Amino acid sequence: MAWRFKASKYKNAAPIVPKPEACIRDIFVGSYQTYGNNITASATFMAFNVDHNGSSLAVLPIDDCGRKSKTMPLLHAHSDTVTDMDFSPFHDNILATGSQDCLVKIWQIPENGLEENLTNSECTFSHKQRRVETVCFHPVADCLLTSTSFTTLTLWDILAERELFSNADHCDVIQSVSWKKDGILLATSCKDKQVRVVDPRASVPISQSANSHQSIKDSRIVWLGDSNRILTTGFDSGRQREVYIRDLRNFEEIEKSLVLDSSTGVLIPLYDPDTGMLFLAGKGDTTIAYMEVTDKEPYLVEGIRHNGDQTKGACLVPKRALAVMQAEVNRVLQLTSSSVIPIMYQVPRKSYRDFHGDLFPETAGNVAPISASQWSSGINAEVARVSLDPAKRHLVETGSQPRLGPKPFTPPKLNFGVGSGDAELKITTDFSFDKVFSVPSVPAAEVNGAVATREENSNDVHTDDSAPETYTETFPVDCQESDKNEVCAVVGDQDISPTTEDELPSSPNSKTKTPSTAERRKVFEKRISSMTTEQDSGSGTVETLQSPKGDECIEDKLEDFERASLQRTSIAERRRLYENRSVSVQETSIADKRSPTTLSPTPLRRRDSLKSQKPILEEDKPQRKLTEQPTSKTPPMERKQEPVTTPTPKRTSTVFGRVSKFRHLKGTPLHKSTHIENIRNVSRQISGECDGFHANSERVAVPLSGPGGKIAVFEISRTGKLPDGVIPTLVQGTNVMDFAWDPFDSSRLAVACDDGTIRLWLVPEGGLPEPTNTPDQILAGHSEKIYFIKFHPLAKDILASGSYDMTIRIWDLATQCEKIVLLGHTDQMFCFAWSPCGAYCATACKDGKLRVYEPRVDVQPIREGKGPVGSRGARIVWALDGQFLVVTGFDKVSERQIQIFKADSLNSPLNTVGLDVSPAILIPFYDEDSSTLFVTGKGDSTIYAFEVTEEAPYLCPLSHHRCNSLHQGLSFLPKNVCDVSSVEFARAMRLTNNTIEPLSFTVPRLKSELFQDDLFPPTKVTWKPTMTSTEWLGGFNKTPSRLSLKPQGMESLSETQGCQDKQNTSSQGKTISSLVQQPFNRLAWNAEMSDATKETQEQIQRAVSSRMEVNLKLEQDDMEGVDDREWED
């Protein structure tokens, strides 16, 4: 049969999508502008980007499924977006990550997965000032990592923590890297539209180059196994997606070219060299194409496509993790915006009882044949292949875990045992812990009052202030090479018994257990503490550890050094202890034990956050005791360290999020009779810094389109349809940039214009009778047009204005002159906000910075921080009595987002919430009494609601309100307008295309006839000034008065509940006392009751009997019995 008619075994491989219950759901994945796949997998774990900025990763078991909590443990990898990630092909729990923060980090995932947040990496490499684009492990050499940054290609030996190779001959950003299967060559695709073949060990690294896809958009490259061909995906000059196949023997010519479509999604090629299956997943596409790669024409044979959800990223699962007994030849993990979908590609067979060896050729194993240093010296090797037959799995050799991070060294005056001779260990001056640790060390870890360095004495502990914990395990580096069955440690003159082969698990599938860095630290510290406790003659506290020479001592208390104890396991507690420089110990409680077979990570939650804690059942106690008693056969380094949590203040939250009293808030438009209708020519060309609509308790101001800068003022009391004709307006004579009502005078309106002036208008009582162009005052001070104007929240006649001249001027309207000029801005200002106390103000700028000023102290900003990126605008508002700043803006991909910052620390946001992609700027409105944040934009129909809290996640979503039509503006009214009798806690005026309608926000309550004092605390009087402009400018501070919103004659809910509680308590007391004094028998009859009581009860019984028909006949009376003779028989 000719080769072109030969049927492929995989041509009918069909994608099988599991049910939603078998997928990972309820995760949040953002939109990341990276050259990575956003997800990767080993045979044990999967890792993918989560959260809005993508700086954290979720690491889950490969077969995990179900809904995921928002509090699940995460790998907090970097300070910026993780651009790429890759698992080691020989160690399923070693993960490499690269990020926009210019760092490459190596992580060691615990054997049971993440049970708590992981923040400390094993080792870190830096690419200086360029973001990391890609990372990938070498397919043959162990612990050899490849990373790219801009035009630089670098190879790292992560065991030795050194750079093996670096090349910067590329002309532009390297977009993709792929190694040949034998690990000799690698191929790169670059933004300069070139594809290159690189031999890192050659004198001239770049051996071949050729023109590739003619678009600078993202292109990907993959080496087709151990053949001489490579495959690339990209875009042509017309932005059509295409696939190229090249042969190294004729590299400049394209062997196969395939044009697909004109979609904008980047094609991610996923190639399986064992089967020749190629999967093309486009970012943003809903389809995943499957093709077979052949050696001859047609080279690419299309298979069955998969149609499903929109793809954010994709990766292949290693062959060792496939369900081969179900003929699963490949598995694609599809990352979507809220889930991870495992797509199984199955070859149809009549029966799946037996292993189909023809579908599963031997695949590369997980044992590295050579090390990174051997490969660098020119040695080539081939990875041993293993069978996927389950019957032969126990014969597969498993590799030992590499020892990453800091290398072992001798504790103070404690020597190694004989036979540990390692040249690298003896020469310790070349190693510095500064390369690894960057967190301050634990207090009281000083030697003779000074920090001991390895350069001063190779036998001293390196206790750099940048290290929170000191690695003190004394295992030889070459232990796993010289003797895999014995792990030795000698501390001082005591020899700690080795872990021999007899003590290791005897299961054929067991793996050689190598403890992680944290486990080795804890094991050593427990040994030190036990040894010193014995030397202290039962005193319980170690005062000094005498060195063999007797001339040095280490003063360290046991409770300060024993981190494995219950007092010192919490990382957060150790950090607090360091900051306070205190040796006080806080008691903590042991968290519930988890089974080591748990597949899914434990959601992080506080035990005291539940409404009621359930008591421990008796049948659960034996099981707990069993888990708490380690067996003597288990080596100390393999014992699982139980997590310990620190007691925290009780909060109103559950596993699924914070419980808020306002979580069920409801927005309701008031009756049509309260609307103002027939509004014409509403302006939609207002500047982005203006909210476009403002209202107070009596009037609303609406900008109208047309020349002259017209602002219409409507009386809220005059509802109904406006008459046709000319609408009375305030004519500015120039374009309107912003306007604002005076919070203490409902008739004064300030208008900022593009001629650099501020016009103050006084609206007569009863409203505008006709159009007018004569303002009450004109303030001229800015040299260019004005961005915004804001009245002071407490002081009368204080107004702030920001202009294109990069200054903010604070005016005293009483004297009509400027008093303070704030400097420090370098670009366009987006917004301005006064703090609730009136002493500070904050701005967001186009240069991506947030600035906080104290105007009466300094004209320069007192704090600066990183704010929203982009030039599309932003808004800022203070929250929680000025402790936090809430900022709305856009990210790099124009997605609207909400960020919350600590007001005294603007370095990084506490939380970022992404909403949607829309050009409208989110305008925030904050209600101080309920701590509710409302955000919406011009042209939106949804008003988003969040509760701002002082603890994570800081922004808790509430019930959002959807309007029937689009609105052009929203303005909230003062608190004294709310109808508290209807449980209304906020009221706003909503501007649509032709109407103004009041919008009421209420909370559903059962006893609405009572005053809900838990929802309405005494509110600030914001409609009356607290101080004058002279007092404020003179440095005087005064807190505003508060007013109770309780109507007269209305009872409070708390008072009513208090009375009921007292009545219930008294009645319960009486009942209990009567029960104690009058014992009742089983028939509820008191033998000691008086005759009068007995007579009363008999009268009631007779009265009831006279009215009711009583049938004393039993059912058994109608039954036929048995004769006596039958009983006798």
Side-chain angles (χ1 to χ4, degrees), residues 821-825 852-855 857-864:
V821 179
L822 302 181
L823 308 174
H825 290 88
V852 175
Y853 290 85
E854 193 173 2
V857 177
D858 193 357
V859 297
Q860 294 291 336
I862 61 174
R863 281 186 294 274
E864 289 187 359

mmCIF file of all heavy atoms in Angstrom, residues 821-825 852-855 857-864:
data_model
loop_
_atom_site.group_PDB
_atom_site.id
_atom_site.type_symbol
_atom_site.label_atom_id
_atom_site.label_comp_id
_atom_site.label_asym_id
_atom_site.label_seq_id
_atom_site.Cartn_x
_atom_site.Cartn_y
_atom_site.Cartn_z
ATOM 1 N N VAL A 821 -0.504 77.013 46.082
ATOM 2 C CA VAL A 821 -0.271 76.438 44.764
ATOM 3 C C VAL A 821 0.529 75.152 44.952
ATOM 4 O O VAL A 821 1.667 75.189 45.432
ATOM 5 C CB VAL A 821 0.499 77.411 43.842
ATOM 6 C CG1 VAL A 821 0.746 76.763 42.484
ATOM 7 C CG2 VAL A 821 -0.274 78.719 43.686
ATOM 8 N N LEU A 822 -0.062 74.023 44.604
ATOM 9 C CA LEU A 822 0.575 72.722 44.747
ATOM 10 C C LEU A 822 1.312 72.366 43.463
ATOM 11 O O LEU A 822 0.769 72.513 42.361
ATOM 12 C CB LEU A 822 -0.464 71.639 45.068
ATOM 13 C CG LEU A 822 -1.299 71.859 46.334
ATOM 14 C CD1 LEU A 822 -2.268 70.708 46.532
ATOM 15 C CD2 LEU A 822 -0.409 72.025 47.558
ATOM 16 N N LEU A 823 2.543 71.886 43.628
ATOM 17 C CA LEU A 823 3.403 71.542 42.500
ATOM 18 C C LEU A 823 3.736 70.050 42.541
ATOM 19 O O LEU A 823 3.329 69.338 43.447
ATOM 20 C CB LEU A 823 4.686 72.378 42.542
ATOM 21 C CG LEU A 823 4.511 73.893 42.668
ATOM 22 C CD1 LEU A 823 5.865 74.566 42.853
ATOM 23 C CD2 LEU A 823 3.788 74.459 41.448
ATOM 24 N N GLY A 824 4.501 69.611 41.537
ATOM 25 C CA GLY A 824 4.997 68.237 41.540
ATOM 26 C C GLY A 824 4.465 67.357 40.444
ATOM 27 O O GLY A 824 4.951 66.238 40.276
ATOM 28 N N HIS A 825 3.468 67.798 39.669
ATOM 29 C CA HIS A 825 2.943 66.989 38.581
ATOM 30 C C HIS A 825 3.766 67.210 37.315
ATOM 31 O O HIS A 825 4.212 68.322 37.032
ATOM 32 C CB HIS A 825 1.477 67.328 38.322
ATOM 33 C CG HIS A 825 0.564 66.863 39.410
ATOM 34 N ND1 HIS A 825 0.278 67.625 40.514
ATOM 35 C CD2 HIS A 825 -0.127 65.697 39.559
ATOM 36 C CE1 HIS A 825 -0.545 66.957 41.308
ATOM 37 N NE2 HIS A 825 -0.813 65.790 40.750
ATOM 38 N N VAL A 852 -0.123 62.170 47.150
ATOM 39 C CA VAL A 852 -0.864 62.648 48.323
ATOM 40 C C VAL A 852 -0.188 63.920 48.814
ATOM 41 O O VAL A 852 1.045 63.960 48.987
ATOM 42 C CB VAL A 852 -0.896 61.581 49.432
ATOM 43 C CG1 VAL A 852 -1.571 62.132 50.688
ATOM 44 C CG2 VAL A 852 -1.635 60.341 48.951
ATOM 45 N N TYR A 853 -0.989 64.969 49.035
ATOM 46 C CA TYR A 853 -0.487 66.271 49.479
ATOM 47 C C TYR A 853 -1.050 66.595 50.859
ATOM 48 O O TYR A 853 -2.149 66.137 51.234
ATOM 49 C CB TYR A 853 -0.910 67.378 48.509
ATOM 50 C CG TYR A 853 -0.234 67.348 47.167
ATOM 51 C CD1 TYR A 853 -0.719 66.556 46.132
ATOM 52 C CD2 TYR A 853 0.890 68.132 46.913
ATOM 53 C CE1 TYR A 853 -0.114 66.539 44.884
ATOM 54 C CE2 TYR A 853 1.510 68.127 45.673
ATOM 55 C CZ TYR A 853 1.008 67.331 44.663
ATOM 56 O OH TYR A 853 1.613 67.317 43.444
ATOM 57 N N GLU A 854 -0.304 67.376 51.582
ATOM 58 C CA GLU A 854 -0.787 68.053 52.783
ATOM 59 C C GLU A 854 -0.644 69.542 52.507
ATOM 60 O O GLU A 854 0.403 70.148 52.781
ATOM 61 C CB GLU A 854 0.007 67.627 54.015
ATOM 62 C CG GLU A 854 -0.645 68.063 55.317
ATOM 63 C CD GLU A 854 0.056 67.488 56.532
ATOM 64 O OE1 GLU A 854 1.072 66.773 56.354
ATOM 65 O OE2 GLU A 854 -0.399 67.767 57.662
ATOM 66 N N PRO A 855 -1.662 70.177 51.943
ATOM 67 C CA PRO A 855 -1.498 71.509 51.343
ATOM 68 C C PRO A 855 -0.990 72.565 52.305
ATOM 69 O O PRO A 855 -0.202 73.434 51.922
ATOM 70 C CB PRO A 855 -2.908 71.838 50.837
ATOM 71 C CG PRO A 855 -3.603 70.532 50.717
ATOM 72 C CD PRO A 855 -3.038 69.677 51.790
ATOM 73 N N VAL A 857 1.038 72.272 54.699
ATOM 74 C CA VAL A 857 2.388 71.981 55.195
ATOM 75 C C VAL A 857 3.416 72.085 54.092
ATOM 76 O O VAL A 857 4.480 72.685 54.261
ATOM 77 C CB VAL A 857 2.427 70.587 55.848
ATOM 78 C CG1 VAL A 857 3.855 70.251 56.288
ATOM 79 C CG2 VAL A 857 1.479 70.535 57.040
ATOM 80 N N ASP A 858 3.138 71.481 52.923
ATOM 81 C CA ASP A 858 4.128 71.424 51.854
ATOM 82 C C ASP A 858 3.400 71.467 50.513
ATOM 83 O O ASP A 858 2.344 70.843 50.348
ATOM 84 C CB ASP A 858 4.969 70.155 51.976
ATOM 85 C CG ASP A 858 6.212 70.201 51.084
ATOM 86 O OD1 ASP A 858 6.371 71.182 50.341
ATOM 87 O OD2 ASP A 858 7.005 69.238 51.137
ATOM 88 N N VAL A 859 3.975 72.180 49.560
ATOM 89 C CA VAL A 859 3.379 72.260 48.232
ATOM 90 C C VAL A 859 3.794 71.089 47.360
ATOM 91 O O VAL A 859 3.240 70.902 46.269
ATOM 92 C CB VAL A 859 3.758 73.583 47.540
ATOM 93 C CG1 VAL A 859 3.212 74.763 48.318
ATOM 94 C CG2 VAL A 859 5.270 73.704 47.383
ATOM 95 N N GLN A 860 4.768 70.300 47.808
ATOM 96 C CA GLN A 860 5.185 69.102 47.095
ATOM 97 C C GLN A 860 4.475 67.891 47.707
ATOM 98 O O GLN A 860 4.087 67.919 48.878
ATOM 99 C CB GLN A 860 6.708 68.915 47.181
ATOM 100 C CG GLN A 860 7.509 69.991 46.474
ATOM 101 C CD GLN A 860 7.374 69.930 44.966
ATOM 102 O OE1 GLN A 860 7.058 68.885 44.392
ATOM 103 N NE2 GLN A 860 7.610 71.070 44.309
ATOM 104 N N PRO A 861 4.302 66.825 46.941
ATOM 105 C CA PRO A 861 3.612 65.648 47.486
ATOM 106 C C PRO A 861 4.401 65.018 48.622
ATOM 107 O O PRO A 861 5.642 64.935 48.578
ATOM 108 C CB PRO A 861 3.498 64.712 46.281
ATOM 109 C CG PRO A 861 4.531 65.166 45.313
ATOM 110 C CD PRO A 861 4.669 66.632 45.515
ATOM 111 N N ILE A 862 3.703 64.561 49.638
ATOM 112 C CA ILE A 862 4.352 63.888 50.764
ATOM 113 C C ILE A 862 4.474 62.393 50.522
ATOM 114 O O ILE A 862 5.288 61.735 51.165
ATOM 115 C CB ILE A 862 3.570 64.157 52.072
ATOM 116 C CG1 ILE A 862 2.134 63.619 51.958
ATOM 117 C CG2 ILE A 862 3.582 65.632 52.403
ATOM 118 C CD1 ILE A 862 1.357 63.724 53.258
ATOM 119 N N ARG A 863 3.684 61.853 49.604
ATOM 120 C CA ARG A 863 3.772 60.438 49.247
ATOM 121 C C ARG A 863 3.454 60.277 47.773
ATOM 122 O O ARG A 863 2.591 60.986 47.231
ATOM 123 C CB ARG A 863 2.817 59.584 50.088
ATOM 124 C CG ARG A 863 3.306 59.284 51.476
ATOM 125 C CD ARG A 863 2.375 58.328 52.189
ATOM 126 N NE ARG A 863 1.075 58.912 52.445
ATOM 127 C CZ ARG A 863 0.771 59.656 53.508
ATOM 128 N NH1 ARG A 863 1.702 59.901 54.413
ATOM 129 N NH2 ARG A 863 -0.446 60.144 53.677
ATOM 130 N N GLU A 864 4.125 59.324 47.145
ATOM 131 C CA GLU A 864 3.861 58.981 45.760
ATOM 132 C C GLU A 864 3.808 57.466 45.626
ATOM 133 O O GLU A 864 4.430 56.752 46.398
ATOM 134 C CB GLU A 864 4.942 59.552 44.825
ATOM 135 C CG GLU A 864 4.903 61.051 44.650
ATOM 136 C CD GLU A 864 5.880 61.523 43.591
ATOM 137 O OE1 GLU A 864 6.590 60.661 43.023
ATOM 138 O OE2 GLU A 864 5.944 62.734 43.319
#
